[in-house]
Amino acid sequence: GENVEQHPSTLSVQEGDSAVIKCTYSDSASNYFPWYKQELGKRPQLIIDIRSNVGEKKDQRIAVTLNKTAKHFSLHITETQPEDSAVYFCASLTGGGNKLTFGTGTQLKVEL
Amino acid sequence: GAVVSQHPSRVICKSGTSVKIECRSLDFQATTMFWYRQFPKQSLMLMATSNEGSKATYEQGVEKDKFLINHASLTLSTLTVTSAHPEDSSFYICSAPDPGRYGYTFGSGTRLTVV
């Protein structure tokens, strides 16, 4: 089955700096890659997603890049703010099914 | 957007008892519902997939007789944790394919504590 690895597990940045989180996947048939932000005790919130026919997508301070050849995708957050502090999960959807496989998560802390 | 309502949000039960968690799709029909479990500081792990009108599909290592899933209607899926034990204490979240966009919508989660 699909395996999604996520790095780093923790990330501390200064307010205003950029944050980058990287994920790799194993199933070449995967075709959808969402990123979720989860605050403690809350449901995951979709912040951005990308489909396999696109290499990059941007939404204000958030961007995602996808390299299908290398089977990795990254989340980029620019001009970080304290409210960006949360756990971020990447995920992949295999083309052969409809199950999301989640990465292990990254605890992002934006310090003042 | 599509909303999945999950109840209860928190439940504390005694060891050996059963607990039922409900997920309802509001304003849309969810033929499929995914059930996840999330232990503290860990990722979401898929437990099972329920399909309306048919048996649920369980992931490897998940006990079917312990985690009973019922998807009797197009708007309701339930997860019953039977004979709960402290190690079943976790955050349980349901999710359904979003009919309005490519992606998924999540319930608000249930924090289960077994004492």
Side-chain angles (χ1 to χ4, degrees), chain A residues 12-55:
Chain A
S12 290
V13 299
Q14 294 292 316
E15 182 181 12
D17 287 350
S18 295
V20 180
I21 303 171
K22 298 182 179 182
C23 287
T24 60
Y25 61 98
S26 60
D27 190 343
S28 58
S30 293
N31 59 7
Y32 174 66
F33 307 92
W35 285 90
Y36 295 94
K37 175 183 180 182
Q38 188 181 32
E39 296 178 348
L40 190 62
K42 305 288 186 182
R43 78 185 84 195
Q45 289 184 303
L46 178 71
I47 56 171
I48 197 166
D49 57 7
I50 192 167
R51 298 180 68 171
S52 59
N53 58 347
V54 177

Side-chain angles (χ1 to χ4, degrees), chain B residues 6-98:
Chain B
Q6 182 171 349
H7 295 279
S9 58
R10 291 177 179 270
V11 58
I12 301 173
C13 70
K14 292 185 177 180
S15 187
T17 61
S18 296
V19 172
K20 180 184 284 187
I21 301 169
E22 293 187 350
C23 279
R24 293 181 184 275
S25 56
L26 307 183
D27 300 327
F28 75 100
Q29 294 181 334
T31 56
T32 301
M33 191 75 73
F34 301 96
W35 287 94
Y36 295 88
R37 177 169 55 185
Q38 186 178 31
F39 292 109
K41 297 188 177 182
Q42 293 189 24
S43 187
L44 286 79
M45 299 300 295
L46 182 65
M47 299 175 64
T49 303
S50 72
N51 296 288
E52 187 269 336
S54 63
K55 290 184 177 181
T57 303
Y58 290 81
E59 297 300 302
Q60 191 172 10
V62 178
E63 300 175 58
K64 301 179 182 181
D65 295 333
K66 182 170 183 60
F67 299 99
L68 301 179
I69 290 176
N70 185 282
H71 196 146
S73 77
L74 288 171
T75 59
L76 176 64
S77 177
T78 62
L79 167 66
T80 301
V81 183
T82 63
S83 187
H85 292 285
E87 56 265 32
D88 298 322
S89 298
S90 188
F91 192 54
Y92 293 85
I93 312 177
C94 59
S95 175
D98 191 323

Side-chain angles (χ1 to χ4, degrees), chain A residues 53-83:
Chain A
N53 58 347
V54 177
E56 183 174 0
K57 185 177 178 181
K58 188 174 182 180
D59 182 5
Q60 300 183 338
R61 297 187 297 111
I62 297 172
V64 56
T65 59
L66 171 65
N67 184 326
K68 286 181 60 180
T69 303
K71 288 190 276 190
H72 66 69
F73 55 113
S74 301
L75 176 71
H76 303 253
I77 306 175
T78 58
E79 301 172 29
T80 54
Q81 302 166 2
E83 50 265 39

